C-alpha cells in the first residue's frame, strides 16, 4: 500500500506540473524555457542529449527545424534516457511540444489561435509520466523525447510548396503549415526507432481538432499498429481515469491521402472528411513503419487535444495514462518475451471500429 500511495502522490504532483506548464503564457514558456524546466524536473542520474537550432538539420531532423526556425527561441530535440542499457525492453515516449501555434503562414483566424499555448500538452504529459516512472525502476530502458518548437512567422518561415526531408529520409511537400505537429512527431518517432532502437514507441500530442469530434473532451483517441498494445492503452485509461477510445489503424485506407506529385508525401490530407485523426496518426506512423526492427516494434499514438485543455484550463491529462500504460507493457515483458519479439497483428479494420 505504501508503494501505491507513493506512486499516486508522484503521479498527482506530475500531473499538476503538466497542467501548470500547459497554462503558462507562451512568452514565458518558449522552447528554451521548457527545455530548461524539463532538465530541472527530471534531475540527475538520467542521460541527456539536446540538439538545438541548425544542428537539427545536420542530424537529419528537418521537420522540427523547419517548424521552429522562424521563432526567437530555437527549436530542439531533447532526449532523456534512464534504466539499464542491457534491458530486454526499451520504451520511448515522444511528445509534441509546440509552445505556441500561430498556424504558420496558413495563419489561424481569430478565435482559433487563442489557447494555442496548450499545443505542448503532449510533451507535458510524457514529461510527467517519465518523471514518475524514472523513480520506479521498472525492468526496462525508458527514453523521453521532447520535440520542442514555436510555430512562429517571419521571413524564415517554412512555406507551402516547400519540400522537407525528415529524419526517416522521406520527403514531405508542405500543403498546410498548420499541420506542423506531425512534422515534429515524425522526426521524434523516427529518432526513437532508428537512433535509440526502441521496442515500443508511444507518442502523445494535441494533434487534431478532429479528435474532439471523434472522441470528445473526456476520452483521448488512440491509434496503434498492435491490437494487444491498443487493449493495454484502453485498460490503462480505465485504471488511471485518463480515459481513451480507439480509432481505426488502416494504412491501406489512409496513406493515399498524403500523395504528392513531387515528394514522398504531403503533410496534410486531400480529403478532410476522411478520418482526420486517424490520418494524422498515419502520417506519424509512416516515418516509423520501415525503420530497422519494424517486425518487433510496437507503436501507440495518443491524440489528447480535447482532454488536455477542455475549457480554458489545463487538466494534466496523460501523465497517469502513459505511466500506467508503460507499467503494463513492462510487466508483460518478462512473462511473455516471445510476444514482445513478435507483435500481435492488428485486428481487421472493420472489427476495430467501435
Amino acid at each position: 500500500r505504501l508503494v501505491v500511495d507513493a506512486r499516486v502522490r508522484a503521479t498527482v504532483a506530475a500531473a499538476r506540473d503538466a497542467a501548470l506548464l500547459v497554462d503558462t503564457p507562451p512568452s514565458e514558456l518558449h522552447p528554451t524555457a521548457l527545455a530548461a524546466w524539463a532538465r530541472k524536473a527530471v534531475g540527475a542520474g538520467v542521460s541527456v542529449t539536446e540538439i538545438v537550432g541548425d544542428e537539427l538539420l545536420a542530424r537529419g531532423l528537418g521537420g522540427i527545424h523547419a517548424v521552429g526556425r522562424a521563432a526567437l527561441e530555437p527549436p530542439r530535440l531533447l532526449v532523456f534516457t534512464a534504466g539499464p542499457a542491457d534491458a530486454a525492453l526499451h520504451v520511448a515516449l515522444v511528445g509534441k511540444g509546440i509552445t505556441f501555434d500561430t498556424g504558420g503562414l496558413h495563419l489561424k483566424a481569430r478565435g482559433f489561435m487563442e489557447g494555442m499555448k496548450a499545443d505542448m500538452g503532449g510533451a507535458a504529459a510524457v514529461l510527467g509520466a517519465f518523471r514518475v516512472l524514472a523513480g520506479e525502476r521498472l525492468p526496462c530502458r525508458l527514453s523521453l523525447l521532447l520535440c520542442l518548437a514555436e510555430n512562429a512567422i517571419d521571413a524564415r518561415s517554412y512555406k507551402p510548396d516547400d519540400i522537407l526531408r525528415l529524419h526517416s529520409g522521406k520527403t514531405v511537400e508542405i500543403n498546410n503549415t498548420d499541420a506542423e505537429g506531425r512534422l515534429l512527431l515524425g522526426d521524434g518517432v523516427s529518432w526513437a526507432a532508428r537512433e535509440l532502437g526502441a521496442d515500443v514507441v508511444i507518442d502523445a500530442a494535441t494533434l487534431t481538432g478532429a479528435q474532439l469530434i471523434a472522441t470528445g473532451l473526456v476520452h483521448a483517441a488512440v491509434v496503434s499498429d498492435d491490437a494487444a498494445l491498443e487493449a493495454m492503452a484502453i485498460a490503462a485509461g480505465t485504471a488511471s481515469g485518463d480515459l481513451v477510445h480507439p480509432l481505426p489503424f488502416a494504412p491501406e485506407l489512409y496513406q493515399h491521402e498524403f500523395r504528392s506529385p513531387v515528394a514522398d508525401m504531403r503533410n496534410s490530407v486531400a480529403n478532410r472528411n476522411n478520418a482526420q485523426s486517424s490520418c494524422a496518426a498515419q502520417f506519424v506512423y509512416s516515418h516509423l513503419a520501415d525503420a530497422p526492427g519494424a517486425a518487433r516494434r510496437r507503436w501507440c499514438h495518443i491524440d489528447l487535444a480535447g482532454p488536455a485543455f477542455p475549457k480554458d484550463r489545463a487538466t494534466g491529462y496523460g501523465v497517469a495514462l502513459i505511466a500506467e500504460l508503460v507499467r503494463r507493457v513492462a510487466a508483460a515483458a518478462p512473462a511473455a518475451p516471445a510476444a514482445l519479439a513478435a507483435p500481435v497483428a492488428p485486428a481487421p479494420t472493420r472489427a476495430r471500429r467501435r
Side-chain angles (χ1 to χ4, degrees):
R1 180 176 177 178
L2 291 175
V3 172
V4 174
D5 287 348
R7 179 184 294 174
V8 170
R9 286 195 295 270
T11 302
V12 170
R16 286 175 173 171
D17 282 344
L20 175 65
L21 287 171
V22 173
D23 279 339
T24 301
S27 295
E28 297 177 23
L29 196 74
H30 44 68
T32 304
L34 181 50
W37 199 99
R39 282 176 172 269
K40 184 177 180 180
V42 169
V46 175
S47 69
V48 185
T49 300
E50 188 168 13
I51 306 169
V52 183
D54 289 343
E55 187 186 353
L56 292 164
L57 278 182
R59 304 292 290 273
L61 296 160
I64 300 173
H65 179 270
V67 173
R69 70 192 183 200
L72 291 175
E73 299 294 335
R76 63 202 65 214
L77 174 66
L78 189 57
V79 182
F80 298 94
T81 301
D86 60 350
L89 174 68
H90 188 171
V91 180
L93 308 178
V94 183
K96 171 189 170 184
I98 295 291
T99 58
F100 192 74
D101 182 19
T102 65
L105 292 179
H106 284 126
L107 191 68
K108 292 179 183 289
R110 182 178 180 182
F112 291 90
M113 196 185 302
E114 292 80 1
M116 284 299 104
K117 64 182 180 181
D119 216 11
M120 37 65 65
V126 293
L127 171 58
F130 182 86
R131 289 171 56 198
V132 172
L133 295 168
E136 295 183 14
R137 299 189 178 184
L138 296 177
C140 67
R141 191 156 178 81
L142 182 65
S143 292
L144 168 69
L145 296 88
L146 300 179
C147 308
L148 306 180
E150 178 184 346
N151 191 15
I153 297 175
D154 78 358
R156 299 184 68 214
S157 295
Y158 78 119
K159 301 171 179 65
D161 297 336
D162 277 351
I163 298 177
L164 310 179
R165 185 177 297 276
L166 270 61
H167 184 266
S168 64
K170 290 182 170 62
T171 54
V172 179
E173 179 191 6
I174 302 302
N175 64 335
N176 183 1
T177 63
D178 197 20
E180 83 297 330
R182 63 197 66 183
L183 299 173
L184 271 69
L185 289 179
D187 273 350
V189 300
S190 177
W191 190 273
R194 291 178 169 84
E195 305 294 337
L196 303 182
D199 303 296
V200 178
V201 178
I202 301 168
D203 73 74
T206 52
L207 198 61
T208 64
Q211 176 272 306
L212 284 76
I213 299 170
T215 61
L217 296 174
V218 176
H219 293 75
V222 293
V223 178
S224 179
D225 67 342
D226 181 84
L229 184 58
E230 179 191 273
M232 282 188 189
I234 296 168
T238 301
S240 67
D242 282 352
L243 301 174
V244 304
H245 193 82
L247 295 183
F249 170 76
E252 70 280 11
L253 300 181
Y254 303 138
Q255 189 61 44
H256 71 89
E257 291 288 352
F258 299 101
R259 284 176 185 158
S260 165
V262 291
D264 292 321
M265 58 195 310
R266 285 176 167 145
N267 75 313
S268 190
V269 293
N271 181 2
R272 296 179 65 84
N273 291 320
N274 185 18
Q276 274 197 63
S277 294
S278 285
C279 283
Q282 175 61 38
F283 180 95
V284 177
Y285 175 76
S286 66
H287 295 277
L288 174 79
D290 60 354
R296 60 169 172 76
R297 183 175 301 107
R298 300 188 288 169
W299 163 78
C300 182
H301 165 78
I302 305 168
D303 191 338
L304 42 73
F309 197 73
K311 190 177 179 181
D312 300 328
R313 291 297 299 272
T315 61
Y317 179 96
V319 174
L321 166 68
I322 296 165
E324 181 62 20
L325 175 55
V326 174
R327 289 187 196 106
R328 289 169 184 253
V329 170
L340 288 172
V344 178
T349 301
R350 181 173 297 175
R352 289 164 65 84
R353 290 174 180 165
R354 308 303 203 271

